[in-house]
Amino acid sequence: AQSVTQPDIHITVSEGASLELRCNYSYGATPYLFWYVQSPGQGLQLLLKYFSGDTLVQGIKGFEAEFKRSQSSFNLRKPSVHWSDAAEYFCAVRPGNEKLTFGTGTRLTIIP
Amino acid sequence: NAGVTQTPKFQVLKTGQSMTLQCAQDMNHEYMSWYRQDPGMGLRLIHYSVGAGITDQGEVPNGYNVSRSTTEDFPLRLLSAAPSQTSVYFCASSYSKSGRTLYEQYFGPGTRLTVT
């Protein structure tokens, strides 16, 4: 079955440290890929997206993600996290014209 | 632009009551959708619409009805609320072309619903 996997339910990172959030998908062809962020009590905000072309995409708030076809992955990275990055992060995948499917999310905690 | 707006922000219902969650967007998006968010389950699609007068079921449609009489509005109706419908509900909209959803979805701030 087609699916989106975020294997880390909760990650804790020190402020200023680097961050990588994992996302894997299982689809036959390369889908459209997204990362969203949800701050507590808020809706979802798009961080970045990949449709085609350069496999390293830049997003807002200093985030980037790399699409690796061979690994069916679209991991989110940030070189130095800030306390304001504490939130829940969702990877989402849309294969072609099908529905958008979300992963179960990764909650990020930042410690001083 | 206000983007995607949802009302109410919070609602408490008793089992068996009905209500409508409102969603509106001012971006002239053809595609609109409703999701529910439950802990550990991400967002699951309830219903969606590719344009006025056209709706379809998503992953978890049971217990919910939708209609799309205008491009701007996409209300979600709970016919007879059940405790299992306690959740946070998000409305989203997106550009669409020839019935195909394109690009990213824009989300509203959500409605937190509790059914007792």
Side-chain angles (χ1 to χ4, degrees):
Chain A
Q2 299 173 337
S3 65
V4 181
T5 302
Q6 292 182 248
D8 304 306
I9 296 173
H10 184 204
I11 285 182
T12 299
V13 177
S14 297
E15 190 168 16
S18 63
L19 171 71
E20 182 169 25
L21 303 182
R22 297 181 290 165
C23 174
N24 294 92
Y25 64 90
S26 62
Y27 291 98
T30 300
Y32 301 135
L33 301 159
F34 308 85
W35 274 99
Y36 285 87
V37 61
Q38 183 182 31
S39 297
Q42 304 297 314
L44 278 73
Q45 181 184 21
L46 180 72
L47 282 176
L48 47 79
K49 61 194 177 195
Y50 173 79
F51 292 156
S52 63
D54 192 347
T55 57
L56 184 63
V57 294
Q58 303 296 321
I60 63 171
K61 305 185 180 187
F63 285 92
E64 66 178 26
E66 185 172 14
F67 167 59
K68 293 185 176 180
R69 186 190 309 273
S70 61
Q71 299 177 19
S72 297
S73 68
F74 189 56
N75 294 350
L76 182 71
R77 301 194 295 247
K78 186 169 185 179
S80 177
V81 298
H82 185 262
W83 63 266
S84 60
D85 294 323
E88 188 148 21
Y89 292 79
F90 291 93
C91 179
V93 170
R94 183 166 61 77
N97 196 34
E98 296 185 34
K99 315 298 182 294
L100 189 66
T101 299
F102 285 85
T104 52
T106 297
R107 184 160 61 93
L108 176 64
T109 298
I110 308 295
I111 56 176
Chain B
N1 285 352
V4 181
T5 58
Q6 292 183 237
T7 56
K9 292 184 69 68
F10 302 94
Q11 183 70 50
V12 178
L13 291 179
K14 295 186 185 303
T15 297
Q17 287 184 316
S18 63
M19 79 159 295
T20 299
L21 308 185
Q22 301 292 343
C23 174
Q25 52 90 11
D26 61 358
M27 297 174 282
N28 202 32
H29 287 168
E30 290 187 359
Y31 182 89
M32 295 185 74
S33 54
W34 276 102
Y35 294 87
R36 60 177 290 172
Q37 183 180 29
D38 303 291
M41 303 190 74
L43 278 79
R44 293 180 293 168
L45 182 64
I46 304 171
H47 285 286
Y48 67 97
S49 168
V50 298
I54 306 170
T55 64
D56 206 346
Q57 296 181 349
E59 181 184 355
V60 288
N62 292 342
Y64 308 95
N65 270 2
V66 293
S67 60
R68 184 95 179 270
S69 56
T70 67
T71 299
E72 295 78 18
D73 301 298
F74 190 44
L76 177 73
R77 281 182 289 275
L78 280 69
L79 308 174
S80 178
S84 61
Q85 294 179 304
T86 294
S87 187
V88 181
Y89 292 85
F90 289 100
C91 179
S93 72
S94 174
Y95 289 107
S96 177
K97 185 175 182 181
S98 302
R100 298 182 60 200
T101 58
L102 299 175
Y103 310 120
E104 67 270 25
Q105 294 194 29
Y106 296 82
F107 285 82
T111 295
R112 185 174 297 273
L113 175 68
T114 301
V115 182
T116 61

